Amino acid sequence: MSEPTLSQQMAREILLKRRPWLVLAVALFVLSAVSRQSLVFLTALFALICALVPELWYRRALQHLRLDLELDRRTLLLGEELVLTLGVENRKFLPLPWLEVEIEIPAQLPLLSGRSLPSYKVQRALLVNTLAIWGFQRVRRRYRLYCPQRGVYSLGPVMVRTGDPFGWLIRQEQLERQVRLLVYPLVASLEDFGLTPLAPLGMQTSLLHLLEDPLRFAGVRPYQPGDDPRYLHWKASARGAGLYRKVFDPASTARLLLVLNINTFREPWMGIDVERQEWLISLTASLAVWGLKAGYQVGLLVNSLLAPWGDDETELEEGRQLVRSADATYHARVTVPCARGGEQERHLLTTLARLLPYMGAAIDPLLEQEALPLSTGGTLILVCAAAVLQESTIERLLELRRSGRAVQLVLCGEGDERAEAALAQAAGLIPVQHIRGKEQWRELLQMADMEKQSRAISQSEPPAQLA
C-alpha cells in the first residue's frame, strides 16, 4: 500500500472514532426539543461543537499552508556562519492556534540561534519551531548556523504538526522541502603548512624554460649561465658589451596536476582517519589556489567519490546509486582537467568540498592512466599520507620523471620503512616535502577561527568620530 493511501486510511479511522460525539449531539438535540429544556439544548450545542470543531481543523488545517526554506547563500567557506530562513504562510481564513515545524538539519552544523533536538537518524538533528498564525498571515523566522566542517549538507525535509484549539486531534505531514549547502575546504597559505615561501615546490624556473616557443620572439636579455647557446642573439651581442640571448613567449601555460590519495591507512579494514583526510584535502585546496595565482593551469585527480550536489534530481539519484553500489571502489575516480581562471578555482574547490569521507581505490592505476596525458614539462604533485605510500607508487613517479614530467611528493605523518627506503634511493629525482600531523591541523583551524572572529568584531565596531 502506498504512503498517501495509508495516511488517508489512518485519517479516516481517526474521524470514524469521533462519530459518537455527533450521534450524542443529535440525540441531545432531539431530547431538548421533546423536553423543552434549555440546559439540555446547551449540552447538545456543546457536544456538537466538540464533534465538528476538531474535525474541521483536522481536515482543513494543513490545506493552503505554504512553507519555504531559504539560505542566504549556498556556498561558503569553512568556519563561516549561515542564515536559514523559514517562511510560513497561511492562505485561508481558518487560523492555526498552534503550529509546530520540525526542520531536519545536519548535526555537524551547530545551531547558534533557535532550539534543536536530537533525531533518531544518524548525524541529524531537528530544528523545532512553534508558533500561532492567523488567517492570511505570513511569518518568517531566521536561524543562524555555524559551518565548522567541509562537505555537502542538506537541510530538510520538514515535518509539520497542527491541530484544533482543544488539542484533541493532531494532524501531521512531512513536506519534501530541502535546500542543499556546500562548505568549501579551508584554504591557507603554504607557509602555514610548513612549506617554504619562495618557490615552495622548486619548479617555476624549469617549467617556464621548458615551454618557450622559438617561433614567438619577444625580445632580448643578457646571457646567463645555463642558457641554451642556440638562442644567442649575435647581432645584439656584437653591438653590446656582452652576450645576449633571445627571449620567447611561452607556447602554452605551465600545467600542474594535483593528485590526492584520499586513503589514510594502508589496509581497507583499518578504516579512515577523517581528521587526517580533511588535513590532506585542505592542503590540496591550498596548493590549487596557489598554482592558479602563480599562473599555472591546475588540474585534479582523486581516488574518491563525490557527494551528490546540484538541482538536477536525475544526477542526484545517479550519484546516490553509485555511492550505494557494491562496486563503488572500482569507480572511485574524480578528474578535473587542467585549466586556469576564477571559474577553474571554483570548480576545484567545489570538487574538493564534495569528496566523501571514503576509503578510495588504489592510486597506482590512476597514476598510470590519468597522468600520461599530462604534457611533457608539466608538473605532478602527489599529496598523500606517508602511511599509505608504497614502493610501486614511487616507481610510477620515477617513470613519469623519466618521461620528462616534473614530479613532487607531499607527505603527511610517518611512513612505512620500506617506502622510506625507496624514497631514499630516489633522492634527488623526486623532491619530497613533509608536513606535520593532526596537531598542526588543529592549530590551523584555531588560527582561522580567530581570524574570522577578529574580522567580525572589526566589522561590527562603529566608525571613529572625528573631533
Side-chain angles (χ1 to χ4, degrees), residues 203-250:
M203 55 189 175
Q204 270 189 315
T205 304
S206 61
L207 279 174
L208 293 177
H209 284 296
L210 283 171
L211 294 174
E212 284 185 332
D213 188 353
L215 300 179
R216 303 176 66 181
F217 179 76
V220 296
R221 66 166 174 80
Y223 178 83
Q224 297 177 358
D227 287 342
D228 194 336
R230 295 177 299 173
Y231 299 145
L232 286 174
H233 198 293
W234 297 110
K235 292 184 179 180
S237 301
R239 291 193 299 266
L243 294 178
Y244 288 86
R245 81 176 295 269
K246 300 176 183 179
V247 178
F248 306 100
D249 287 332

Side-chain angles (χ1 to χ4, degrees), residues 407-444:
V407 175
Q408 302 284 334
L409 189 58
V410 181
L411 299 178
C412 177
E414 299 295 331
D416 184 76
E417 295 181 358
R418 293 174 296 179
E420 293 290 344
L423 274 179
Q425 294 180 358
L429 298 177
I430 303 179
V432 181
Q433 295 274 354
H434 288 275
I435 61 175
R436 287 160 48 192
K438 293 182 285 188
E439 296 79 10
Q440 188 182 12
W441 169 242
R442 299 189 187 105
E443 294 174 2
L444 193 58

Side-chain angles (χ1 to χ4, degrees), residues 58 108 118 179 223 278 281 356 387 433:
Y58 188 81
Q108 299 93 330
V179 288
Y223 178 83
E278 296 301 320
I281 293 172
L356 291 171
Q433 295 274 354

Side-chain angles (χ1 to χ4, degrees), residues 390-417:
Q390 300 182 8
E391 303 91 317
S392 58
T393 306
I394 300 175
E395 293 176 3
R396 294 285 186 276
L397 296 178
L398 288 174
E399 292 177 2
L400 292 172
R401 178 70 175 79
R402 287 189 290 267
S403 63
R405 297 163 179 84
V407 175
Q408 302 284 334
L409 189 58
V410 181
L411 299 178
C412 177
E414 299 295 331
D416 184 76
E417 295 181 358

